[in-house]
Amino acid sequence: MPELPDVEMLKRYFYVTSLHRRVSDVRVRDVRILKGVSASSLKRCLLEKSFESTHRHGKYLFAKTNREAVLVLHFGMSGSLRSFKDTKRDPKYDRILLSFEDGFHLAILSQRLLGGVWITDSKDTFLREHALGPDALSVDQKTFQSIITKTKGGIKSKLMNQKLIAGIGNIYADEILFQSRIHPLAESKELKDKDISRLYHKMNHVLQIAVDRHADPAQFPFSWIVSHRIETDKCPRCRGRISKIKAASRTSYFCSSCQNI
DNA sequence: CTAGATGTTAAGGT
DNA sequence: CACCTTAACATCTA
C-alpha cells in the first residue's frame, strides 16, 4: 500500500489521532522494526514528550516532538497506523505501541517488517543521510526535467528511484506512465521535452487525484490502469490486451498499443 | 507447495 | 563509472 498518497493519508491520520498530547508509554513489541535506535533510546526520546507537527517526504513520515527528537516512519509494503482506546483490541502486527495521556494508543503496524522506525535530530539531516530526491508532489518542472534527462536508463526505474524523486512506487509508476502514454522501458534520455512535460503533469495529476480520493483504489477512475492490473483485463483506453513485463525486477502492467513512446 | 506482493538495499554482473 | 538484475528481509495469500 504505502506509496506517496498512502503515506499522505497516514500523515493525516497521525495528525488527528496523535498530535499535542503527552506520550505516557512506549512499548517496543518487536525490535526488528527499529533502525539505528535502541528500544531504550526510543523511549527516552518520546516518553513524556508530545508530537507537535507532522511532515511527509516521499514515502517517509516525520513526527516532530516538542524537543529535539523527530520520529521517522517508513511503512515498507505492509505497514500502517492504528489508533484505538481499548488495549484488548491491540491489532495484529503491532510492532510499536505509543500510549497517550488521553487514553488512546497508536500502534505502528508492519506485517512484513520491511519498513522501519528511526529517531533523528532533524528531517533535513535524515533526508540528506538517506540521499532522498525531492518529493514527487513538490518538485518543480525544471528540476524534474533535468533529473529525467541527466542520467540514462529506463524511465520506470527512474521514476521509482527514491534518490532521484521520492514517493513513487510500482503501482503509481505504472499509472503515471500509462496516462503519459510512455512505455515503462523507454530510455529516458530519448524522451522529447514535450514527453517529459506531459510526464511531469501526469505525475502531479495522478498523485493529486489519488490523495483527493484518500488513496483508495476503489475510488479511482475506471479509466486508470490500476483497476486493470490483471493480464486478462482490457486497456480502459483502447480495449486492447494489457501487457505484463518485468522492469527493475518488479511487475509492470501497461498497454503496448497506447504506450509506445 | 510455490510464486508473488505496494519497498529498500547490498551485491554482483555487463 | 553508470546502469541493470537479483537476493534478502518476514509473512500472507492465490
Side-chain angles (χ1 to χ4, degrees):
Chain A
M1 243 219 288
E3 297 185 37
L4 185 153
D6 312 282
V7 179
E8 183 64 28
M9 291 305 119
L10 292 168
K11 183 190 91 172
R12 295 176 187 186
Y13 189 78
F14 194 105
Y15 187 94
V16 297
T17 62
S18 308
L19 240 56
H20 308 306
R21 57 209 83 178
R22 197 163 47 86
V23 176
S24 54
D25 197 12
V26 176
R27 269 168 282 190
V28 177
R29 314 214 114 120
D30 193 324
V31 291
R32 292 174 296 175
I33 200 74
L34 295 178
K35 309 291 168 187
V37 62
S38 65
S40 58
S41 169
L42 182 82
K43 279 181 200 173
R44 192 165 356 100
C45 291
L46 300 182
L47 209 54
E48 303 303 321
K49 317 294 189 297
S50 63
F51 295 103
E52 61 178 22
S53 63
T54 52
H55 189 270
R56 180 193 58 70
H57 186 104
K59 303 171 189 173
Y60 289 85
L61 173 57
F62 298 84
K64 192 178 184 319
T65 66
N66 56 346
R67 303 295 170 80
E68 289 303 296
V70 178
L71 177 69
V72 187
L73 305 177
H74 189 291
F75 299 93
M77 294 214 279
S78 61
S80 194
L81 297 172
R82 187 78 42 82
S83 172
F84 57 97
K85 186 146 196 176
D86 181 357
T87 43
K88 288 203 287 292
R89 308 205 50 188
D90 191 352
K92 216 175 169 187
Y93 311 117
D94 172 4
R95 309 302 184 178
I96 292 180
L97 185 67
L98 304 178
S99 302
F100 296 96
E101 61 181 347
D102 66 359
F104 279 86
H105 310 275
L106 182 74
I108 298 168
L109 310 178
S110 183
Q111 182 199 101
R112 293 170 57 190
L113 287 166
L114 291 180
V117 172
W118 298 254
I119 290 284
T120 182
D121 293 343
S122 96
K123 164 177 72 70
D124 292 331
T125 306
F126 185 90
L127 295 178
R128 209 174 326 115
E129 284 169 357
H130 292 252
L132 284 173
D135 183 73
L137 270 183
S138 310
V139 66
D140 64 79
Q141 188 165 355
K142 248 186 116 112
T143 309
F144 180 78
Q145 186 110 14
S146 73
I147 287 169
I148 295 301
T149 46
K150 225 187 310 189
T151 54
K152 62 198 256 304
I155 187 63
K156 182 171 175 184
S157 64
K158 205 157 285 196
L159 283 179
M160 292 202 302
N161 184 341
Q162 305 301 304
K163 291 180 166 54
L164 296 179
I165 303 154
I168 301 169
N170 197 31
I171 299 279
Y172 286 99
D174 276 2
E175 188 62 49
I176 292 162
L177 289 169
F178 173 70
Q179 295 195 26
S180 306
R181 304 191 63 187
I182 297 172
H183 192 288
L185 294 178
E187 168 57 52
S188 50
K189 273 202 152 160
E190 309 281 300
L191 293 175
K192 306 280 182 272
D193 282 0
K194 68 168 176 40
D195 299 324
I196 301 174
S197 168
R198 201 169 62 255
L199 185 62
Y200 176 76
H201 291 292
K202 290 299 186 186
M203 171 179 78
N204 277 289
H205 172 78
V206 165
L207 296 175
Q208 193 55 60
I209 297 281
V211 169
D212 291 347
R213 305 204 179 184
H214 309 292
D216 176 8
Q219 295 182 51
F220 293 170
F222 182 80
S223 61
W224 283 24
I225 201 172
V226 269
S227 332
H228 309 270
R229 291 177 68 83
I230 315 170
E231 276 170 290
T232 50
D233 213 334
K234 288 185 180 137
C235 167
R237 188 174 169 278
C238 75
R239 312 303 300 154
R241 216 182 85 247
I242 296 288
S243 306
K244 177 176 151 181
I245 53 165
K246 287 272 180 195
S249 72
R250 311 298 304 278
T251 307
S252 295
Y253 290 90
F254 70 108
C255 172
S256 55
S257 58
C258 295
Q259 293 166 256
N260 46 24
I261 296 175

